[in-house]
Amino acid sequence: MTGVVGSGNLEVLVEAAPGSGSCVIEITTAAVGFGHIWQAVIDDFHARHGLCDLRISVNDVGATPAVVSLRLDQAIETFLGDAA
């Protein structure tokens, strides 16, 4: 199962990783110097969802933190909807 959402400047792919016990998030971005902001967005996402056994890929082309957060939530909704 996968969950995919995208817009002009961001794509998020969610894939099951059964038995991993973790939620691995890989971020590909050309933006330099925003590691602390990415970390804050990911920490907030994880605090809200507390997911495990997933692999999430984020392909960014300049999305704002609010858009990243929204797309992460949408991708999880899509993934969980497909899994149901």
Side-chain angles (χ1 to χ4, degrees):
M1 302 276 171
T2 59
V4 179
V5 294
S7 60
N9 56 3
L10 186 75
E11 174 188 61
V12 178
L13 171 66
V14 179
E15 303 172 276
S20 70
S22 63
C23 179
V24 175
I25 301 175
E26 179 181 299
I27 300 167
T28 303
T29 183
V32 177
F34 296 95
H36 64 288
I37 294 172
W38 277 105
Q39 190 63 56
V41 170
I42 298 306
D43 288 348
D44 178 65
F45 171 75
H46 186 67
R48 284 183 285 119
H49 295 284
L51 302 167
C52 64
D53 294 341
L54 291 178
R55 176 178 171 81
I56 300 174
S57 300
V58 177
N59 298 305
D60 172 57
V61 188
T64 65
V67 169
V68 173
S69 184
L70 174 66
R71 296 291 180 246
L72 283 166
D73 288 344
Q74 289 174 329
I76 290 301
E77 282 183 22
T78 299
F79 176 80
L80 294 176
D82 289 348

